[in-house]
Amino acid sequence: MTMIETNVMQRTNNPTLATIASGDGVYLIDKQGNRYLDACGGAAVSCLGHSNQRVKQAIIDQVNDIPYAHTSFFTNESQEQLAEHLLSHAYGEFSQVYFVTGGSEAIEASLKLARQYFFEQGKTDKRFFIARKQSYHGNTLGALAIGGNLWRRKPFDPILVEGHHISACNEYRDKLGNETLFDYGQRIANELETKILELGAENVAAFVAETVGGATAGCLTSPAGYFKRIREICDQYDVLLILDEIMCGMGRTGTLHACEQEGIQGDLETIAKGVSAGYQPLGAVLISEKIVNAIDNGSGFFQHGHTYIGHPSSCAAGLATQLEIQERDLLSNVNTQGENLRKSLHESFNSDSLLTDHIGDIRGRGLFIGIELVADRNSKKAFDPSLKLHAKIKKKAMLNRLMVYPMGGTVDGVNGDHILLAPPFIIDEDNVAQITERLSNSIRAVIQEAL
Ligand SMILES: Cc1ncc(COP(=O)(O)O)c(C=O)c1O
């Protein structure tokens, strides 16, 4: 790949990007005709692959009917139908949905909903948000303020509202040798209580957490009981629980909502990415009844809004995506192929001593898998961050025509490398074998060059 000339402010300067031309199932095809096997859905977005006819047709039909109508003048059938579908398939009780165009917007809306919920009740001191270290909730200022990833925040720190953080739940790195998994989860969950008491419960509005930690932490799951304790603490101190399922939700972990596997619901739940499979930009907040009631019985309206909320073609794409997942029972495939992929990765990594030495952890659920790389498996020491191993693996994998989503700073925002896998829900066994082979080859080549 050669450097491209561009008038677009791309994600990096001097980008070496191919130009995308088309999609075919789990493959993306560039203008030169190269076919890339998609093992990450971009950033865990493309859950239906890249050529789903039903979703494409739903968008075309919607645009033919009405492309856009501002939601202060009209509602539209697509958003009404999608809201009904989402509410009837939610985990727990939610009574309304707020539609936006992506993840960060969903987080901003949920922060404001939490604040307004307390404001309406005259609890105007409730203004602090607590989240977890190494979390990612988006790049807008509010989302960045609560996010726990150091390097993303650093340049903007002086202009961020106050965010407070407790430890990530990371058993691979932080569980003590003499501790059971359950006790570890409880100890880390109890940090929330300590933080609430430190700030004063009367000042805390909400705790925000990715149900399964995604991009910055590499698929961190929590031990059984962790989220139950979190829910208990939130209820005890009148603190709302905002579950961020933007990456891990809508089937990615093998259940429609990741929180189903924890047995708890949030007061607000944010979703995006897989909700419309990337065919149109869409995010949403599921809102529990007490929050809807507080606003209805208070000022009577959510003091928020964007030009494109409830966009008809986005919601049409979202509804078609959700119906595809449901009617084709794609979550069964997520579970089956998730198991296959995990097994295949373990076998491949265990059969090669170089990989065995440098794969520290394979974690995640369903088709949401994180692979943490280490310089030394016994001490779990990370590679020197200046090696930028994660970036090199992404580049090498692209040369091997495989899309994966590696990231650095896994351990503490600076040190550590991981690779995130989040392939489309439609992958088959042959795709699993190809992902494993191309990824193993890419990691091996990069580590060999680095050592
Ligand atoms: C958990 C989580 N929250 C929020 C966001 C922000 O979403 P967006 O990039 O659509 O603004 C992301 C994006 O990766 C995410 O993974």
Side-chain angles (χ1 to χ4, degrees):
M1 272 175 278
T2 48
M3 229 135 76
I4 57 166
E5 289 213 1
T6 177
N7 295 315
V8 175
M9 181 180 273
Q10 304 273 356
R11 286 174 180 256
T12 58
N13 51 1
N14 304 329
T16 50
L17 296 170
T19 301
I20 192 64
S22 59
D24 176 17
V26 296
Y27 291 91
L28 281 160
I29 303 158
D30 71 17
K31 272 185 95 171
Q32 271 71 46
N34 297 307
R35 290 169 68 86
Y36 302 83
L37 175 55
D38 183 359
C40 62
V45 174
S46 306
C47 59
L48 291 181
H50 303 281
S51 52
N52 186 285
Q53 279 309 325
R54 180 180 188 167
V55 183
K56 290 201 272 186
Q57 194 59 49
I59 298 165
I60 293 165
D61 291 347
Q62 179 61 59
V63 173
N64 281 336
D65 285 347
I66 177 70
Y68 171 75
H70 195 280
T71 45
S72 71
F73 297 86
F74 298 98
T75 188
N76 62 73
E77 279 181 351
S78 290
Q79 70 162 348
E80 296 293 343
Q81 287 168 2
L82 179 58
E84 191 192 342
H85 183 94
L86 292 174
L87 292 175
S88 60
H89 293 85
Y91 184 71
E93 297 292 321
F94 291 96
S95 54
Q96 283 187 339
V97 185
Y98 192 82
F99 287 114
V100 290
T101 58
S104 301
E105 274 189 16
I107 289 291
E108 295 295 331
S110 70
L111 299 179
K112 284 181 73 178
L113 276 164
R115 169 65 187 164
Q116 194 174 331
Y117 167 73
F118 289 115
F119 186 84
E120 301 282 11
Q121 300 172 65
K123 297 178 184 172
T124 51
D125 285 340
K126 279 202 171 266
R127 63 195 184 283
F128 292 141
F129 292 91
I130 304 173
R132 301 189 292 186
K133 291 176 189 160
Q134 280 305 89
S135 57
Y136 181 62
H137 297 292
N139 263 331
T140 49
L141 291 177
L144 205 54
I146 56 159
N149 187 251
L150 279 181
W151 77 262
R152 279 189 168 79
R153 295 170 51 99
K154 199 165 180 235
F156 307 101
D157 254 339
I159 58 168
L160 299 181
V161 298
E162 203 173 319
H164 299 271
H165 297 96
I166 60 170
S167 296
C169 198
N170 185 342
E171 65 180 79
Y172 171 65
R173 295 221 158 254
D174 298 332
K175 186 176 90 60
L176 303 175
N178 58 357
E179 215 172 18
T180 65
L181 205 48
F182 180 82
D183 286 347
Y184 167 67
Q186 298 297 294
R187 173 167 67 82
I188 297 298
N190 284 332
E191 284 190 20
L192 178 60
E193 183 173 41
T194 308
K195 183 60 84 179
I196 291 172
L197 293 174
E198 184 187 309
L199 295 168
E202 69 283 7
N203 299 319
V204 180
F207 175 61
V208 190
E210 294 161 87
T211 317
V212 176
T216 47
C219 280
L220 284 182
T221 56
S222 331
Y226 169 85
F227 269 108
K228 284 219 164 90
R229 180 70 191 124
I230 290 285
R231 179 72 269 182
E232 224 169 66
I233 296 168
C234 287
D235 290 341
Q236 184 178 347
Y237 294 102
D238 191 21
V239 166
L240 294 179
L241 175 60
I242 301 175
L243 288 183
D244 180 348
E245 298 222 353
I246 286 161
M247 189 175 259
C248 65
M250 303 323 286
R252 176 60 52 203
T253 63
T255 47
L256 194 59
H257 300 271
C259 60
E260 289 178 50
Q261 296 175 51
E262 310 298 339
I264 54 112
Q265 76 162 103
D267 301 297
L268 295 158
E269 183 183 323
T270 53
I271 55 174
K273 298 185 186 273
V275 70
S276 58
Y279 282 73
Q280 289 288 280
L282 182 63
V285 188
L286 309 183
I287 312 164
S288 60
E289 191 176 14
K290 69 177 180 186
I291 297 173
V292 172
N293 285 346
I295 292 174
D296 281 352
N297 300 330
S299 58
F301 75 107
F302 177 33
Q303 203 171 319
H304 196 55
H306 300 289
T307 301
Y308 295 122
I309 60 173
H311 196 281
S313 61
S314 294
C315 292
L319 183 63
T321 299
Q322 294 313 305
L323 292 175
E324 276 286 270
I325 291 172
Q326 186 181 33
E327 288 169 18
R328 290 170 60 188
D329 189 21
L330 289 178
L331 297 193
S332 295
N333 200 51
V334 170
N335 286 307
T336 308
Q337 300 306 341
E339 275 308 302
N340 286 343
L341 182 52
R342 226 175 304 268
K343 191 160 157 260
S344 162
L345 291 170
H346 275 287
E347 278 169 12
S348 173
F349 297 159
N350 286 340
S351 69
D352 178 322
S353 65
L354 185 82
L355 295 178
T356 311
D357 288 348
H358 297 291
I359 304 291
D361 194 26
I362 304 176
R363 53 184 178 243
R365 287 183 189 148
L367 282 175
F368 195 36
I369 298 176
I371 301 163
E372 184 165 340
L373 304 174
V374 285
D376 178 69
R377 197 181 159 131
N378 291 327
S379 67
K380 301 182 182 176
K381 186 172 177 288
F383 279 101
D384 179 348
S386 70
L387 288 173
K388 291 198 183 308
L389 221 64
H390 55 97
K392 288 178 182 156
I393 289 171
K394 182 172 178 182
K395 202 166 171 186
K396 184 68 79 180
M398 284 298 273
L399 289 172
N400 288 331
R401 306 293 177 245
L402 178 72
M403 285 170 62
V404 293
Y405 198 56
M407 196 77 74
T410 316
V411 181
D412 54 11
V414 179
N415 297 290
D417 300 88
H418 70 264
I419 301 157
L420 196 87
L421 300 181
F425 298 174
I426 56 171
I427 61 163
D428 60 21
E429 271 176 45
D430 182 49
N431 301 144
V432 164
Q434 282 296 317
I435 292 170
T436 305
E437 188 184 329
R438 294 184 200 188
L439 179 59
S440 299
N441 290 342
S442 306
I443 300 174
R444 187 184 304 109
V446 168
I447 292 180
Q448 266 165 353
E449 281 162 25
L451 292 181

